[in-house]
Amino acid sequence: MVKLVASDIDGTLLLNGTGSIPTKCFELIEKLAENGIRFAAASGRQYTNLRRLFAPVADDIDYICENGNLVICHGEVCCKRTIERGYGARLMRALMTIDGCEVLLSGVNTCYVQPKDPAYAEHMRYFVGNDVTVVPDITDVPEDYLKISAYFKDGVPQERMHELEELSKPLMRPVISGLPWLDFLLEGCDKGSAMTELQKQLGVSKEETMSFGDNENDIELLVQSGVPCAMRSGNPKLHPYAKYLVDDVADFAAEYIF
C-alpha cells in the first residue's frame, strides 16, 4: 500500500513550460490526505518557492528542497546539509570565470546571485519565482552554503562536463537538473538520501513510497521508492530506473492508488 507520494516539479508536475501546478494535482493531494497518504514535493527549487507553487496545500505537504539539501517534514526542518565555506567559495570563484555561466548560491529562505548580466537576477526573481538577494560578492553571504548551482542560458555545455566534474571534486559532483541548470551536490546528498530521512520521519518504508521524476537528479529518488515512475517525455537516462513510464503524475497516481 502506498503511504507516501513524492514528485519532482519541473518537467514532471510542470509540463510544457507552464508555471503553475495543475488544479487536479491539488485535488489529488487533498484526496491522498483524506486517505492518510502524505505528499512531498521533491525539487531543486528553494523552500519558499515551493510553498508559493503549492499555496492551496502548502501547510499540508512535506518538502525535499534544493535537490535534497533541505528536508521539511510537518513544517519543521528535519535535515539540512551544508557545504564547507572554503570549498564552496573556491568552486564558485572557478565557475564565475566560465563564459556564459552564472552562479546561484542557495540559503534556506533566499538564493544569492552576483549576476554578470542583470537579466539573470530578473529571470530568477520573476520567471523562476525565487526569493533573490543580489550581492557584490557571492562568497561572502551571511548564512551557510546550502547548495551551489551553475546556470547556462543556452543549456549546460556537454563538452565541458569533464571540466566541471574536476572543479567540484572531491566533495561534490555536478548533476543536470534541467536544460540550463547544473547542480553541485555533496557526495551522499541527493533526493534519495533526503527521501530516506523523510521516510524515517514519517515511519514509511521504501516499498510504501511512490515517486515521479524526469531528469538525472531524480535517479536516487526513484531508487529509494517501491513504485518508481519516470516521465515518458523526460530524460531517457532516467527510464531504466523506473517501473512505470507515465505521461501525467496526477492521472497515474490516482488510478494506481485508488
Side-chain angles (χ1 to χ4, degrees):
M1 175 182 175
V2 173
K3 295 183 179 179
L4 171 62
V5 177
S7 179
D8 171 56
I9 308 303
D10 297 280
T12 304
L13 284 183
L14 297 181
L15 295 171
N16 304 316
T18 184
S20 58
I21 303 294
T23 300
K24 64 180 178 181
C25 291
F26 297 133
E27 294 171 349
L28 171 67
I29 291 169
E30 291 171 352
K31 187 172 182 180
L32 291 173
E34 291 170 0
N35 288 271
I37 303 169
R38 296 293 294 181
F39 178 87
S43 175
R45 292 183 180 232
Q46 67 179 194
Y47 177 49
T48 53
N49 180 304
L50 290 172
R51 283 191 61 87
R52 280 192 289 272
L53 275 176
F54 287 89
V57 294
D59 292 330
D60 304 317
I61 68 174
D62 302 308
Y63 300 87
I64 292 174
C65 318
E66 308 289 1
N67 271 334
N69 289 61
L70 182 68
V71 182
I72 310 289
C73 181
H74 290 297
E76 300 291 334
V77 175
C78 67
C79 181
K80 177 183 173 184
R81 294 284 303 278
T82 59
I83 303 163
E84 193 275 320
R85 291 184 71 89
Y87 183 87
R90 287 191 294 274
L91 174 59
M92 288 190 286
R93 290 191 189 105
L95 292 172
M96 291 286 286
T97 67
I98 298 175
D99 289 342
C101 177
E102 297 277 9
V103 177
L104 182 78
L105 174 62
S106 298
V108 173
N109 292 310
T110 190
C111 66
Y112 301 90
V113 296
Q114 182 185 336
K116 300 174 185 177
D117 180 353
Y120 168 57
E122 300 301 296
H123 173 79
M124 292 306 304
R125 185 175 285 120
Y126 299 114
F127 180 78
V128 178
N130 270 17
D131 289 332
V132 178
T133 302
V134 177
V135 294
D137 182 355
I138 200 167
T139 67
D140 189 30
V141 302
E143 66 172 307
D144 292 335
Y145 294 177
L146 195 60
K147 188 186 72 174
I148 294 170
S149 304
Y151 173 80
F152 296 88
K153 182 179 179 180
D154 297 323
V156 176
Q158 294 297 318
E159 69 277 8
R160 303 197 70 164
M161 281 300 294
H162 178 71
E163 173 189 354
L164 293 163
E165 289 171 357
E166 290 300 314
L167 282 177
S168 61
K169 288 181 178 178
L171 302 181
M172 303 180 76
R173 58 190 174 89
V175 177
I176 294 174
S177 60
L179 181 63
W181 287 106
L182 196 66
D183 286 347
F184 291 86
L185 304 183
L186 286 165
E187 288 294 346
C189 182
D190 47 52
K191 290 185 183 180
S193 62
M195 173 59 78
T196 300
E197 183 62 35
L198 183 59
Q199 288 166 336
K200 290 178 182 177
Q201 293 290 324
L202 296 173
V204 172
S205 69
K206 171 181 175 179
E207 291 70 29
E208 295 169 325
T209 303
M210 170 184 280
S211 66
F212 296 86
D214 80 304
N215 219 324
E216 291 179 46
N217 64 325
D218 298 312
I219 289 175
E220 293 84 2
L221 178 69
L222 266 60
V223 169
Q224 191 54 31
S225 305
V227 189
C229 309
M231 301 305 292
R232 200 183 311 275
S233 58
N235 190 330
K237 291 183 179 180
L238 188 65
H239 292 179
Y241 299 91
K243 186 175 182 179
Y244 301 100
L245 297 182
V246 307
D247 297 306
D248 185 280
V249 172
D251 290 347
F252 181 85
E255 182 178 352
Y256 186 96
I257 297 172
F258 303 113

